[in-house]
């Protein structure tokens, strides 16, 4: 069992984003917790944290910070990503043109 799931320790990694179109390409428009995916909400997909965990996500390049809620899971780990942000979440941290950013993640609850 990975005890870090229950830890409030910060960690760093790469984060990308996904859109409603990406969800439709996967054959659905629902997140793993059953909600309809809404790219305008400050949400994210995480394979490490429980649903509804609030995460503080900080872009390490420009120090912009958001708080987003985990409502999905994903297969992004194979791309060396630790988080997949909604379009709105990513946009608050950097330009979508970046595609991938280095972030610091701190669980808040």
């Amino acid at each position: 069992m990975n005890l870090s799931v229950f830890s409030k320790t910060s960690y760093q990694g790469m984060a990308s984003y996904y859109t409603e179109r990406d969800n439709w390409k996967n054959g659905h428009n629902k997140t793993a917790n059953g909600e309809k995916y809404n790219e305008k909400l400050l949400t994210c997909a995480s394979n490490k944290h429980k649903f509804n965990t609030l995460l503080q996500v900080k872009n390490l390049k420009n120090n912009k910070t958001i708080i987003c809620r985990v409502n999905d899971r994903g297969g992004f780990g194979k791309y060396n990503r630790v988080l997949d942000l909604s379009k709105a979440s990513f946009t608050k941290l950097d330009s979508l043109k970046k595609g991938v950013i280095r972030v610091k993640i701190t669980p808040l609850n």
Side-chain angles (χ1 to χ4, degrees):
M1 175 186 253
N2 184 353
L3 295 178
S4 64
V5 172
F6 304 105
S7 171
K8 290 194 176 189
T9 304
S10 298
Y11 60 98
Q12 296 180 14
M14 302 304 288
S16 54
Y17 73 94
Y18 65 120
T19 66
E20 288 176 352
R21 183 172 174 227
D22 294 326
N23 261 17
W24 280 109
K25 280 196 254 179
N26 291 329
H28 56 82
N29 69 341
K30 296 210 181 243
T31 62
N33 75 349
E35 294 176 23
K36 182 178 179 190
Y37 176 69
N38 184 340
E39 65 185 17
K40 296 176 184 173
L41 298 179
L42 296 179
T43 58
C44 64
S46 170
N47 293 329
K48 182 173 183 171
H49 301 283
K50 294 179 184 180
F51 292 135
N52 296 316
T53 300
L54 296 178
L55 302 177
Q56 178 178 304
V57 182
K58 179 179 182 179
N59 181 336
L60 292 173
K61 191 162 191 162
N62 62 19
N63 291 320
K64 290 184 180 180
T65 302
I66 62 162
I67 295 174
C68 60
R69 180 176 58 89
V70 176
N71 72 340
D72 208 358
R73 301 280 181 242
F76 47 84
K78 62 186 172 189
Y79 303 109
N80 294 319
R81 311 281 195 270
V82 296
L83 208 59
D84 217 0
L85 299 164
S86 68
K87 188 175 179 181
S89 297
F90 195 97
T91 301
K92 296 257 184 206
L93 295 172
D94 216 323
S95 165
L96 293 178
K97 292 179 184 178
K98 297 280 184 188
V100 179
I101 55 175
R102 184 153 190 76
V103 295
K104 177 180 177 183
I105 301 164
T106 306
L108 300 178
N109 62 341

